[in-house]
Amino acid sequence: MPYHMVKPSALDLIKQGRKDYADVERYSADPRAFLAFLDALGVERAGLINYVAPKIIGFTPEVNDWSAKYCSVAPDRLIAFGGVLPGTVPDPGAEVDRLLKLGIRAIKMHPSHQVLSPNDYMDGNRGLAAVYERAQAKQPADHDSHRDFHLPRREKSARATDALR
């Protein structure tokens, strides 16, 4: 995790109650140390989930470059996730293409941290539509909401807010 990007309030929550925080920092700074940890646990591969969430967490699009670089040490074992948040880059569709070239293998959307609705594209958010269109054509996507949300099936019932009704 690129700690230099994390907002102090978010970092406080991450640290809260953790006795292993020094290990977390070490693994975040050194992918080889993280791989040794995975080996000790008998874990073959890990997906490193990162996404752009400047308002809540502090992650800017720079988090994608960090994720790709970190995972490039062992791309067969470390699966880089990245994210695109419309409004943080000039062309969200082109950003998906850039992430693919960087080595990002999946897109992560986290509506509650990104302050967006997964179906905002239906209300005219062309940037979000461009992210979905490019991601559908190029790579897998992971979407965190109260219901499963799969890119090929975009329907109003997939709105995260509908799950609360």
Side-chain angles (χ1 to χ4, degrees):
M1 175 183 318
Y3 287 100
H4 69 282
M5 298 175 79
V6 180
K7 288 186 169 198
S9 58
L11 192 54
D12 288 345
L13 288 172
I14 292 168
K15 289 180 176 181
Q16 189 173 9
R18 292 199 78 125
K19 295 180 179 169
D20 64 345
Y21 186 72
D23 291 332
V24 172
E25 282 186 315
R26 184 166 50 92
Y27 300 142
S28 294
D30 182 357
R32 286 178 179 75
F34 182 60
L35 288 165
F37 176 65
L38 294 178
D39 290 341
L41 296 174
V43 175
E44 184 178 327
R45 288 185 300 244
L48 279 78
I49 309 295
N50 290 281
Y51 50 89
V52 178
K55 290 181 182 177
I56 305 295
I57 306 297
F59 291 151
T60 65
E62 179 188 347
V63 74
N64 295 313
D65 300 274
W66 180 89
S67 183
K69 182 179 178 185
Y70 187 98
C71 292
S72 71
V73 170
D76 57 321
R77 297 191 62 198
L78 301 175
I79 302 163
F81 280 65
V84 180
L85 180 61
T88 63
V89 292
D91 182 343
E95 182 70 353
V96 173
D97 295 338
R98 186 183 83 81
L99 298 187
L100 184 61
K101 290 175 188 167
L102 277 177
I104 299 292
R105 293 170 47 194
I107 298 292
K108 169 70 176 175
M109 302 298 289
H110 197 313
S112 61
H113 287 181
Q114 294 178 303
V115 192
L116 63 80
S117 170
N119 282 344
D120 276 350
Y121 73 95
M122 296 176 81
D123 295 325
N125 186 333
R126 289 301 311 145
L128 189 58
V131 170
Y132 289 164
E133 289 161 5
R134 290 286 172 77
Q136 267 182 270
K138 303 217 179 233
Q139 59 191 15
D142 176 52
H143 200 102
D144 194 359
S145 71
H146 294 282
R147 291 185 177 185
D148 289 338
F149 183 86
H150 304 280
L151 292 179
R153 241 183 109 202
R154 293 185 253 162
E155 25 181 276
K156 288 188 184 222
S157 65
R159 286 182 188 268
T161 54
D162 288 351
L164 301 175
R165 293 183 185 169

